[in-house]
Amino acid sequence: MATAKKAPAKKAAPAKKAAPAKKAAPAKKAAPAKKVVAKKAAPAKKVVAKKAPAKKRAVNAAFMKALTPSSALAAIVGGKPLPRTEVVKQMWVYIKKNKLQDAINKRMINADAKLKEVFGKAQVTMFEMAGLIGKHLK
């Protein structure tokens, strides 16, 4: 008996689909309108969240502490004490000025005589550089 009820329902469904299709279209239009309202509410929350961390970040004193470079590093960046961030900037100025960045793989730095003293090898990645510089700062 259950199979008999399913078969008529399938036949009746296509006939009903044609007429309710027009009714379904306005229902779909109403649904996106609700989503738009929900989307408008979400950015309002984001604005509130952005206002809370709007305060300026405090500078970490460890980054700004002036460190004295070793003699090998002083030949590149100068002998006066500099913050770690400035030492890295000066290293990049030296590398770009002397065209020591690898032409094919820009992440690699080809060491000249001065950089070889600091790095200890002929070629390093830009990510290794910061660690190797740290050994030459006190």
Side-chain angles (χ1 to χ4, degrees):
M1 292 178 121
T3 56
K5 289 182 181 178
K6 287 182 183 176
K10 288 181 182 178
K11 290 180 182 177
K16 290 182 181 179
K17 282 183 183 177
K22 293 179 183 176
K23 292 179 183 177
K28 287 181 182 177
K29 288 181 182 176
K34 290 179 185 177
K35 288 180 184 177
V36 171
V37 172
K39 287 180 183 177
K40 288 181 182 177
K45 290 179 184 177
K46 289 181 182 177
V47 172
V48 174
K50 287 182 182 178
K51 288 182 182 177
K55 299 174 188 175
K56 280 196 169 185
R57 291 176 53 186
V59 177
N60 188 346
F63 283 120
M64 301 313 292
K65 182 180 177 186
L67 302 169
T68 307
S70 67
S71 60
L73 188 58
I76 300 166
V77 298
K80 62 181 181 179
L82 293 168
R84 188 178 303 272
T85 54
E86 275 301 312
V87 172
V88 173
K89 283 182 188 177
Q90 294 296 321
M91 290 290 286
W92 276 109
V93 168
Y94 179 82
I95 290 165
K96 297 219 180 201
K97 178 182 166 188
N98 294 309
K99 298 178 183 175
L100 298 173
Q101 209 169 359
D102 193 55
I104 298 168
N105 187 355
K106 297 281 188 182
R107 291 178 289 185
M108 299 300 287
I109 299 161
N110 300 319
D112 63 354
K114 289 182 181 179
L115 285 178
K116 202 173 239 184
E117 290 180 31
V118 176
F119 296 154
K121 49 186 176 178
Q123 194 176 43
V124 296
T125 66
M126 63 173 61
F127 306 110
E128 287 178 283
M129 184 177 74
L132 295 169
I133 290 171
K135 295 176 184 176
H136 292 273
L137 294 171
K138 293 181 184 178

